[in-house]
Amino acid sequence: MKKIVIFASGSGSNAEKIIAHFKHSDQAKVVKVFSNNPKAKVLERAANHELPAEVFTREDLNNGTVLQKINTIQPDLIVLAGFLLKFPEDIIAMYPQKIINIHPALLPKYGGKGMYGENVHKAVLENKERETGITIHYVNEQYDEGGIIFQKAVSVEECTTPEEIAEKVHQLEHEHFPKVIEQLISKS
Ligand code: GAR
């Protein structure tokens, strides 16, 4: 059985879709959720699925504590699902091509530091983009610059608020992220 761990900082709607998708799989399972935010709703969602969850600090992330915790699990895939801190180089070096992130836009557009969640959707609206979408990519040392695994576009021509765009993007994420993970896992 392949092991997936999830890192999330907020609501965790993607995390929950992934947990549910693999709940009855004989190929892979989500074994743990990590969060840097003690108030994140993702912790509640993990508990509802009787899944272990652990909160860590930014210091833990950057001083090797989180790496040690990951090493005790030996995951086959590390999934960043709405994780908002920069992922440290020691973990990236130890798990090459085994860490993936979802970004709520069509990278390389609307990527980089500060471009997360609502900020992305506001920028898309301000620039009067006709479409946006999702990007699933490997994580490397630069924000949002690792190799692209999957992209899907959606029209936002009729959206008038960032919330409307967010809803469309979330729908795409929920539909595709678990499937893309399943494909990656089956090849690993
Ligand atoms: C998702 O839209 C994800 O793409 C985005 O945060 C949201 C988390 O939603 N991630 C980033 O912006 C990373 N740069 P969720 O907590 O409901 O899954």
Side-chain angles (χ1 to χ4, degrees):
M1 180 70 78
K2 302 271 174 70
K3 289 179 279 189
I4 301 168
V5 300
I6 297 179
F7 280 73
S9 301
S11 165
S13 70
N14 278 288
E16 184 155 24
K17 290 284 174 196
I18 299 161
I19 294 164
H21 185 88
F22 288 99
K23 208 159 192 179
H24 303 291
S25 164
D26 51 13
Q27 252 195 73
K29 263 203 174 4
V30 178
V31 294
K32 191 154 181 172
V33 170
F34 285 97
S35 182
N36 60 305
N37 175 5
K39 294 191 184 138
K41 190 170 173 199
V42 72
L43 300 170
E44 207 180 301
R45 296 188 197 259
N48 290 342
H49 287 273
E50 289 165 2
L51 195 67
E54 189 162 343
V55 176
F56 60 85
T57 63
R58 189 189 288 261
E59 197 189 349
D60 293 336
L61 184 65
N62 294 318
N63 69 10
T65 306
V66 172
L67 173 61
Q68 270 178 19
K69 289 176 192 292
I70 296 173
N71 285 344
T72 63
I73 300 172
Q74 291 283 310
D76 298 279
L77 196 66
I78 299 170
V79 176
L80 312 189
F83 184 64
L84 302 183
L85 298 182
K86 190 164 192 307
F87 220 58
E89 289 184 14
D90 56 353
I91 307 181
I92 295 169
M94 192 74 94
Y95 291 90
Q97 302 291 94
K98 285 190 176 177
I99 310 171
I100 65 169
N101 178 48
I102 191 158
H103 188 78
L106 295 171
L107 290 174
K109 282 182 152 184
Y110 304 103
K113 199 166 175 9
M115 272 296 168
Y116 57 85
E118 213 190 35
N119 295 350
V120 174
H121 308 312
K122 276 185 186 155
V124 165
L125 190 67
E126 274 163 20
N127 289 339
K128 299 187 173 55
E129 295 282 358
R130 300 169 72 158
E131 62 170 27
T132 186
I134 62 170
T135 303
I136 298 168
H137 64 93
Y138 289 108
V139 172
N140 70 9
E141 296 75 11
Q142 306 302 322
Y143 265 114
D144 302 327
E145 288 183 16
I148 290 174
I149 301 163
F150 177 88
Q151 289 189 302
K152 187 88 185 176
V154 65
S155 163
V156 287
E157 259 173 309
E158 273 143 42
C159 293
T160 54
T161 64
E163 291 75 21
E164 281 170 12
I165 298 177
E167 197 182 322
K168 285 198 158 199
V169 167
H170 260 122
Q171 272 176 20
L172 275 189
E173 293 185 327
H174 296 166
E175 183 184 346
H176 294 284
F177 204 12
K179 290 185 199 159
V180 170
I181 292 171
E182 187 172 315
Q183 280 172 11
L184 281 178
I185 284 276
S186 70
K187 287 188 217 145
S188 72

